[in-house]
């Protein structure tokens, strides 16, 4: 970090927000940019910029939904939540060209806070809360269960590792 140099990158006109770049090796990395379609739909999407040469040049790939908060495992694999369906994940194994919907099977109402170490193995938080902000305490109420869960099949099924009852 003692020296830096500028790299020109053209963002689409509909770019809303930039996320931090993620590098998997010294040469391979990606840079997600949140996008929006024109009014009145304002449909969220993502432009994923990838590099194979340490950031000297970038190639963009559009994704028709928001994957800026995805867990990018490597240059081919990622897991993303679906903002409109809290019980669905989207996975890709071909460098973000095609995404497959995975319907999650669990006894919890929500699974969130994902982290995957491979395309099949991951952990997340799960809960049965019925109220959210602006409730005092973030919506946590007496009797709510918050659990650590794990998957070994790419997010289809989740097993409870540990839990806490409020």
């Amino acid at each position: 970090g003692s020296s830096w140099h500028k790299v020109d990158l053209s963002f689409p006109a509909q770019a809303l927000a930039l996320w931090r770049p993620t590098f998997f090796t010294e040469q391979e990395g990606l840079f997600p940019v949140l996008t929006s379609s024109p009014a009145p739909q304002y449909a969220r999407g993502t432009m994923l910029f990838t590099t194979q040469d340490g950031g000297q040049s970038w190639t963009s790939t559009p994704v028709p939904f928001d994957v800026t908060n995805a867990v990018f495992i490597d240059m081919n694999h990622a897991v993303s939540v679906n903002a409109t369906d809290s019980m669905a994940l989207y996975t890709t194994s071909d460098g973000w060209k095609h995404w497959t919907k995975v319907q999650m099977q669990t006894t919890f109402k929500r699974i969130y806070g994902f982290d995957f170490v491979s395309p099949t193995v991951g952990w997340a938080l799960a809960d049965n809360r019925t109220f959210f902000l602006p409730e005092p305490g973030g919506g946590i109420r007496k009797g709510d269960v918050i659990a650590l869960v794990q998957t070994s099949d790419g997010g289809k099924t989740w097993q409870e590792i540990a839990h806490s009852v409020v």
Side-chain angles (χ1 to χ4, degrees):
S2 60
S3 64
W4 296 84
H5 68 275
K6 181 181 175 182
V7 175
D8 290 324
L9 196 59
S10 296
F11 295 114
Q14 66 272 24
L16 296 177
L18 312 175
W19 265 249
R20 67 176 177 79
T22 299
F23 278 79
F24 305 104
T25 68
E26 286 186 31
Q27 299 299 309
E28 297 180 323
L30 69 88
F31 184 32
V33 176
L34 179 64
T35 61
S36 176
S37 68
Q41 291 82 16
Y42 297 110
R44 297 286 173 113
T46 305
M47 187 66 72
L48 289 174
F49 291 88
T50 57
T51 183
Q52 301 284 333
D53 60 9
Q56 296 302 311
S57 63
W58 296 83
T59 304
S60 62
T61 303
V63 179
F65 53 96
D66 180 2
V67 296
T68 53
N69 289 315
V71 176
F72 296 100
I73 301 163
D74 56 35
M75 289 295 286
N76 290 308
H77 298 90
V79 178
S80 183
V81 295
N82 179 352
T84 60
D85 181 356
S86 64
M87 296 310 291
L89 289 176
Y90 284 83
T91 63
T92 183
S93 61
D94 62 0
W96 314 293
K97 293 176 187 78
H98 301 93
W99 294 79
T100 302
K101 183 177 182 177
V102 176
Q103 200 65 40
M104 295 184 285
Q105 300 170 6
T106 181
T107 58
F108 292 96
K109 290 183 181 176
R110 266 168 305 287
I111 299 180
Y112 54 94
F114 298 92
D115 192 20
F116 279 78
V117 296
S118 77
T120 56
V121 178
W123 290 266
L125 296 175
D127 69 40
N128 69 347
R129 295 185 295 161
T130 54
F131 290 88
F132 286 94
L133 294 174
E135 293 287 318
I140 297 173
R141 300 180 344 167
K142 186 174 176 90
D144 283 350
V145 175
I146 300 173
L148 175 64
V149 293
Q150 179 184 24
T151 184
S152 58
D153 60 9
K156 184 176 181 182
T157 60
W158 295 85
Q159 296 76 40
E160 182 179 317
I161 303 299
H163 74 268
S164 177
V165 179
V166 179

